[in-house]
Amino acid sequence: GHSYMYWKVSSIIDEIKAYKYLPISGKLSKNQEHFVIDRSQLEGIKEGDTLLSINGISAVELFRNTMNLTAGIEAFRAAECETMFPFYLFFNESLSSPYELNFSNQNLVNSPGVSFDEIADFVNEKAVIEDYTFEILKDSIGLISYNRCHDYKAFKKFLKKTFSEIEAKGIDKLIID
């Protein structure tokens, strides 16, 4: 289920490196009717802004189209696209720089786009992956994400602390990913 587009194909690398990317990321609102910014390197855009369109194309439709580039359940596809949105826009043939971003607050932002190296830095700055994490979803579901097999003693401590928290908070559902 954790499949995604492998874009590192030698025949398109030059084109990928020449493309100008849009340094924003976001996600669909809970009702999936709005695209909400969660990060941006562009002046005048802040977290929580609702993006209506990019170059006249609905931001919601662009995000949904990027989700079609990833396999798996909808939650995984959405999470993958929240991170990779700027890269996946490359594969939308009707979109290219310069970019005109139209927001619900009547704000209009123009951008020439940024280089491949700059967008890689932008995407990766949020991609600090811990070996394992625990979070509580919807106040009642525990989620352990096991990202890398490393340091058994530390993992054993992590599990002891996590299961103490699960017991103390009365969590009766647990997802291990």
Side-chain angles (χ1 to χ4, degrees):
H2 289 223
S3 300
Y4 54 90
M5 179 178 246
Y6 183 75
W7 51 269
K8 299 174 185 176
V9 179
S10 61
S11 62
I12 63 170
I13 291 294
D14 289 341
E15 189 177 348
I16 286 172
K17 287 185 176 182
Y19 188 80
K20 294 296 181 186
Y21 296 87
L22 194 54
I24 63 168
S25 66
K27 58 186 169 188
L28 295 181
S29 60
K30 287 185 182 187
N31 64 9
Q32 298 201 2
E33 293 178 8
H34 304 286
F35 182 81
V36 181
I37 299 291
D38 66 8
R39 285 188 321 132
S40 171
Q41 285 185 337
L42 300 176
E43 196 170 312
I45 301 174
K46 61 185 183 309
E47 183 178 340
D49 284 351
T50 300
L51 178 62
L52 299 177
S53 65
I54 303 170
N55 292 0
I57 304 170
S58 163
V60 170
E61 288 307 310
L62 286 168
F63 189 82
R64 286 185 180 144
N65 288 341
T66 63
M67 285 181 60
N68 290 331
L69 300 174
T70 302
I73 62 172
E74 187 169 347
F76 173 77
R77 292 179 16 231
E80 176 72 13
C81 291
E82 287 170 28
T83 302
M84 299 301 289
F85 185 66
F87 279 123
Y88 285 173
L89 288 178
F90 166 83
F91 295 99
N92 185 314
E93 293 179 355
S94 59
L95 191 65
S96 62
S97 65
Y99 299 104
E100 181 180 272
L101 290 79
N102 185 13
F103 290 87
S104 63
N105 62 3
Q106 307 297 318
N107 192 14
L108 189 64
V109 175
N110 292 296
S111 171
V114 299
S115 72
F116 177 83
D117 290 339
E118 290 170 298
I119 204 65
D121 289 345
F122 173 75
V123 168
N124 288 329
E125 75 185 24
K126 193 177 176 183
V128 174
I129 297 177
E130 297 180 49
D131 292 343
Y132 25 81
T133 60
F134 174 71
E135 62 182 298
I136 299 172
L137 309 173
K138 298 182 182 179
D139 298 324
S140 63
I141 303 168
L143 170 62
I144 294 175
S145 296
Y146 188 78
N147 302 311
R148 186 169 59 167
C149 184
H150 179 74
D151 193 351
Y152 179 73
K153 286 182 183 179
F155 182 59
K156 195 172 178 179
K157 273 179 150 173
F158 163 81
L159 287 177
K160 186 173 184 173
K161 179 182 172 211
T162 297
F163 280 98
S164 293
E165 185 176 350
I166 287 170
E167 185 176 12
K169 294 190 176 179
I171 303 295
D172 62 354
K173 298 171 196 80
L174 179 63
I175 299 168
I176 301 173
D177 182 8

